[in-house]
Amino acid sequence: MTQSTGETPAAGAEGPAAPPATRYPRPTVTLDEAEWVWRELSVEALRPGGKPEVVRLAVIAGLTRATGARYGDLLRVRAEDLDLGPEPDAAARRGRVGGTRDPGEGRVLLRHGKHRTLREHRLPPEVVLLLRHWMVVRTELAAELEGSVPRALLLTVHHTHDHGTTVASGLPITRQGLVLSWRRFAHRTNARYGAVRAPLPTRFEQVRRAWVDAGVPDLGREVAPSAELPDSEEK
């Protein structure tokens, strides 16, 4: 087998040109499919008695759709990186992201990629609504922990086991936890709608790329690193 150089051969005697190789090896879902995922999760998350895991998944989908963030970027988001707007009871949850915004909008600071480039992104009202709900849920999840609620935005929603030790809910979630959470949702959804719609992929990246490729996320604006508090000043 001839090793590929990554270039597309020109059409000629050997046949038509091959289509360019995609960067991501798994097929991306359509934009309509990605939007269906967002609607399904956001509606389920706000139903009375909605499961905390579904609320967290809706927040992940909403933040990804709004900012294009990957799992690693989302795991670095802290509660104080959010500005959810001037709601009467939001003062205690406001971060240090300022500026003007349309009614109902919010802002989030994200550290992107391995270089952790700091960018401020706009959050649409529907994502702000979910985040306000999640902030209440995450406080309840951490109620059994000693001390204050962890700073990480995304927390575990179940008691888990780590090498035979029971770990309480309300702790910062790991990348593997996010992977498994999406996989559970995909399997449940596929079992529920298997006869009427195409199955969801088991990797959330295939959904994220649909939004990114369609230009849906807000690219945000880069923020100078000096705008962040030094580690020694963080509480």
Side-chain angles (χ1 to χ4, degrees), residues 148-169:
S148 60
V149 178
R151 298 173 65 194
L153 176 66
L154 301 177
L155 306 181
T156 57
V157 298
H158 302 294
H159 282 61
T160 59
H161 296 279
D162 185 9
H163 300 290
T165 302
T166 300
V167 180
S169 63

Side-chain angles (χ1 to χ4, degrees), residues 52-108:
E53 183 174 27
V54 175
V55 181
R56 188 183 62 199
L57 274 171
V59 165
I60 291 168
L63 286 174
T64 300
R65 182 175 178 269
T67 68
R70 298 175 184 271
Y71 276 166
D73 307 331
L74 295 177
L75 289 172
R76 288 190 286 266
V77 177
R78 303 167 302 199
E80 64 263 32
D81 293 327
L82 298 174
D83 180 352
L84 301 182
E87 285 288 320
D89 61 343
R93 300 196 298 270
R94 294 194 63 180
R96 55 184 184 280
V97 188
T100 59
R101 62 183 58 80
D102 293 335
E105 285 189 350
R107 303 288 175 86
V108 62

